[in-house]
Amino acid sequence: MSDTILVTGPAVHPAAVRLAHDRGYALAFTPAYPDSALLQDRLRQTGAVAILSRMGVLDAAAIGSSGALRVISKHGAGVDNIDLAAAAARGIPVLSSPGANAVSVAEHALALMLAVTKRIGPLDAGLRAGRWDKPGFAGREIAGLRIGLVGLGAIAQALVPMARGLGLIVQAHDPHADPALFDRLEVMRHADLDSLLAGSDIVSLHCPLTDATRGVLNARSLAVLPQGAVIINTARGGLIDDPALLDAVRSGHLSGAGLDSFAQEPPPADHPFLSEPAIVMTPHIGGVTAEANARVGVEAIRIAIDLLEGRAVPPARIANRHLLDGSDAVRQQETA
């Protein structure tokens, strides 16, 4: 049996490399954002028993191209770039590592909030263009504003004390979270999304991309927001209807947006967001810090090797468990 783990990307943190080598596994790498044909070639060449999914899409053709593949481990929490059903059809568990990059992503969400609210981008561009835009400028204080968190997972939970430290009033909507979590965090709970949106000056997205959440911020829901509200997205680009967001910003209904993820990554060179100064953008790097990369890489490698070697993996970490019910992979985990 091959002892190779294929990383979809050109690198992984040295601590993760050391862990793999110490456990007797070799790592193979791809260029950034490999397409399906390249992934198929690399899987056949290496005979990899596991994939560490960092960049790009893992479609059914890639997943089905090698009979040796036994597990896919996501370098992070979001698994919407992986065909979960195709993996399940071959009995391949898809693992995730939520929480390992939570602090880094929460910090980035906060940075985007400040950049948009304080209009850092346009002011910086004005200075570089030879303008002094102080006359007539009126900024906005963060303290006292209401922030609405859509989703209350690990990243949102890390953001709560940071936001509160700036004087923000924190509230959230998450139909899947235990109501006791809101009490423990002292966060106002909204059972209804529209209620949260209507009472939020800043909305920060922290939910997974699913059929239920795709386009959750659209023309109708954006219209519910107060005049001058701000949108922050460090989750997944597909949560937002791009044309609706652009219209809301250009009409002045929203004062701006801070985006770290996009429906298509990288976005095309003619994407209209690129010419809108009120939208601050970063290339999906919220969780890409030295500290988070070490935690995420090590955890993603560790959990993949645990499964390969027959050790129990927490059921909640198997993203396609609902599709794998009754499979040998699940039975093995239940008896390990």
Side-chain angles (χ1 to χ4, degrees), residues 102 106 149-161 170 172 185 187 204-206:
L149 308 177
V150 181
L152 199 56
I155 294 168
Q157 290 176 46
L159 180 57
V160 168
V170 186
L185 294 172
V187 169
S204 190
L205 297 177
H206 300 284

Side-chain angles (χ1 to χ4, degrees), residues 32-128:
Y33 297 98
D35 61 20
S36 182
L38 177 57
L39 283 172
Q40 292 173 55
D41 286 344
R42 294 294 281 144
L43 283 165
R44 286 191 290 263
Q45 291 166 5
T46 62
V49 292
I51 292 176
L52 179 63
S53 175
R54 283 208 68 193
M55 300 176 179
V57 174
L58 274 176
D59 62 11
I63 292 169
S65 64
S66 169
L69 184 62
R70 293 174 53 203
V71 62
I72 298 168
S73 187
K74 180 60 188 286
H75 190 275
V79 294
D80 52 284
N81 65 312
I82 302 169
D83 191 325
L84 300 181
R90 292 182 169 270
I92 300 171
V94 176
L95 310 179
S96 66
S97 299
N101 63 0
V103 170
S104 291
V105 179
E107 289 177 348
H108 197 73
L110 199 63
L112 288 172
M113 287 178 212
L114 288 166
V116 175
T117 306
K118 300 299 184 181
R119 296 170 57 187
I120 300 299
L123 292 169
D124 176 80
L127 273 173
R128 294 173 189 277

Side-chain angles (χ1 to χ4, degrees), residues 161-174:
M162 300 179 191
R164 192 170 283 133
L166 287 177
L168 287 161
I169 300 166
V170 186
Q171 49 195 348
H173 166 74
D174 189 333

Side-chain angles (χ1 to χ4, degrees), residues 7 19 154 206 262 290 306-307 309-310:
V7 180
L19 174 62
H206 300 284
F262 305 87
D306 280 350
L307 189 139
E309 297 181 351

Side-chain angles (χ1 to χ4, degrees), residues 146-204:
R146 302 161 298 175
I147 182 171
L149 308 177
V150 181
L152 199 56
I155 294 168
Q157 290 176 46
L159 180 57
V160 168
M162 300 179 191
R164 192 170 283 133
L166 287 177
L168 287 161
I169 300 166
V170 186
Q171 49 195 348
H173 166 74
D174 189 333
H176 306 293
D178 186 337
L181 177 62
F182 293 82
D183 294 335
R184 179 169 63 81
L185 294 172
E186 298 181 347
V187 169
M188 184 187 304
R189 178 173 178 262
H190 287 260
D192 179 74
L193 177 61
D194 278 2
S195 171
L196 178 78
L197 297 179
S200 296
D201 304 297
I202 301 169
V203 171
S204 190

Side-chain angles (χ1 to χ4, degrees), residues 191-278:
D192 179 74
L193 177 61
D194 278 2
S195 171
L196 178 78
L197 297 179
S200 296
D201 304 297
I202 301 169
V203 171
S204 190
L205 297 177
H206 300 284
C207 54
L209 179 61
T210 66
D211 290 341
T213 61
R214 189 176 299 277
V216 67
L217 290 188
N218 50 46
R220 188 207 65 79
S221 56
L222 289 171
V224 174
L225 287 158
Q227 182 75 22
V230 168
I231 299 296
I232 303 298
N233 188 12
T234 53
R236 289 293 184 265
L239 297 169
I240 298 176
D241 180 324
D242 286 358
L245 177 64
L246 189 65
D247 287 346
V249 170
R250 287 182 171 171
S251 72
H253 179 63
L254 298 181
S255 61
L259 309 176
D260 188 48
S261 60
F262 305 87
Q264 178 184 337
E265 294 187 348
D270 61 350
H271 197 294
F273 285 173
L274 298 172
S275 60
E276 176 49 63

